[in-house]
Amino acid sequence: MGSLHESHILVTRWVLGDGKTIKFWKDRWLDEPIVNRIDPNDAVYYNLNDVTSAFIMDGTWNIPDQLKTSHPEINDEISKIIIPIVPSIEDICWESTTNGVLNSKTAYELLRSHGTATTWGNKIWHYFLPPRKSLLLWRVLNRSLPTDDRVTKTGCAMVSRCSICLSSAESIDHLFLECSTTKSVCKWLEQIFERRIVCSSYNSILNGIWSSGFGK
């Protein structure tokens, strides 16, 4: 939970209540903690442990004159925050959720590592394709098929030959991009979809097929 603790400050904000819990200078109850926005030399003039209620008098804001003068934008931001008529317990709101409450989905999104978005995900995981075919395409695009070149890298010595054309060593790129039979299939697909399909990369093949209206 360490990484969640470190990142929570970026997505949470205090909601003003009775002002007895929120640290006026240090806590994030504005867009950014005030102490991060003022000159460090000016900070020595303030008690940075003051709670927010110290700056509320008779139901209105009582902001230090020096802060008003040096940072009028902070004063404007504070003046827009409505002081509750009936004091309530202060709480933390999670900005990344619609109701301000942390749920397991949001916590997972904060903790998980976000990979690079792909351009082919919505093409292979399509209702038009049987799941087994989608899984095969996923394994091809992630280079996870047990082709000869990958097996050899594990330390297994073997003579490699493409079982289709019988003229080159077997690899994922050879099977699906370079093999003479693969190129013949691409030519056949061009006739079926009436669209030029370039067999130079997996994306070019997928884009060529999908641009013809396949699966729509």
Side-chain angles (χ1 to χ4, degrees):
M1 294 296 291
S3 58
L4 178 59
H5 176 74
E6 293 167 4
S7 62
H8 84 282
I9 189 64
L10 302 177
V11 293
T12 60
R13 179 198 294 256
W14 280 96
V15 178
L16 183 65
D18 57 15
K20 296 179 180 180
T21 303
I22 301 173
K23 297 291 179 57
F24 182 84
W25 304 98
K26 295 180 178 181
D27 286 337
R28 184 172 182 258
W29 59 287
L30 302 178
D31 286 341
E32 185 180 355
I34 297 176
V35 71
N36 295 348
R37 300 163 65 176
I38 63 176
D39 190 312
N41 295 323
D42 293 338
V44 299
Y45 297 107
Y46 307 116
N47 181 358
L48 299 184
N49 289 317
D50 278 341
V51 292
T52 310
S53 60
F55 302 91
I56 298 175
M57 181 177 295
D58 297 328
T60 60
W61 289 109
N62 183 29
I63 309 302
D65 291 335
Q66 185 173 348
L67 181 63
K68 288 182 180 179
T69 303
S70 58
H71 295 278
E73 75 285 356
I74 295 178
N75 181 62
D76 291 342
E77 190 175 343
I78 294 174
S79 64
K80 293 177 182 178
I81 295 180
I82 299 174
I83 300 173
I85 297 177
V86 180
S88 58
I89 298 175
E90 294 170 321
D91 201 358
I92 289 180
C93 171
W94 287 80
E95 295 185 327
S96 53
T97 60
T98 55
N99 60 1
V101 178
L102 176 65
N103 52 41
S104 57
K105 179 180 179 181
T106 304
Y108 172 76
E109 288 298 321
L110 287 171
L111 290 171
R112 78 178 181 90
S113 58
H114 295 263
T116 305
T118 64
T119 58
W120 43 260
N122 61 339
K123 294 183 175 67
I124 68 168
W125 300 109
H126 197 280
Y127 73 91
F128 196 84
L129 292 173
R132 290 182 62 185
K133 306 304 180 185
S134 295
L135 181 59
L136 174 62
L137 286 171
W138 183 88
R139 295 188 69 186
V140 170
L141 293 166
N142 282 282
R143 314 184 76 82
S144 65
L145 288 176
T147 48
D148 289 352
D149 60 325
R150 295 189 71 243
V151 173
T152 301
K153 289 179 181 179
T154 65
C156 180
M158 62 186 302
V159 177
S160 176
R161 186 171 67 169
C162 174
S163 58
I164 301 175
C165 68
L166 305 177
S167 60
S168 298
E170 183 187 87
S171 68
I172 291 179
D173 287 344
H174 173 77
L175 288 176
F176 295 96
L177 295 177
E178 302 163 357
C179 182
S180 57
T181 302
T182 301
K183 293 180 179 179
S184 297
V185 171
C186 281
K187 293 293 183 182
W188 174 74
L189 290 174
E190 286 182 343
Q191 297 176 6
I192 296 297
F193 295 110
E194 298 181 348
R195 181 80 57 172
R196 175 168 169 74
I197 299 175
V198 180
C199 294
S200 59
S201 69
Y202 302 112
N203 275 333
S204 65
I205 295 175
L206 289 173
N207 290 335
I209 294 175
W210 249 256
S211 64
S212 67
F214 175 78
K216 295 182 180 179

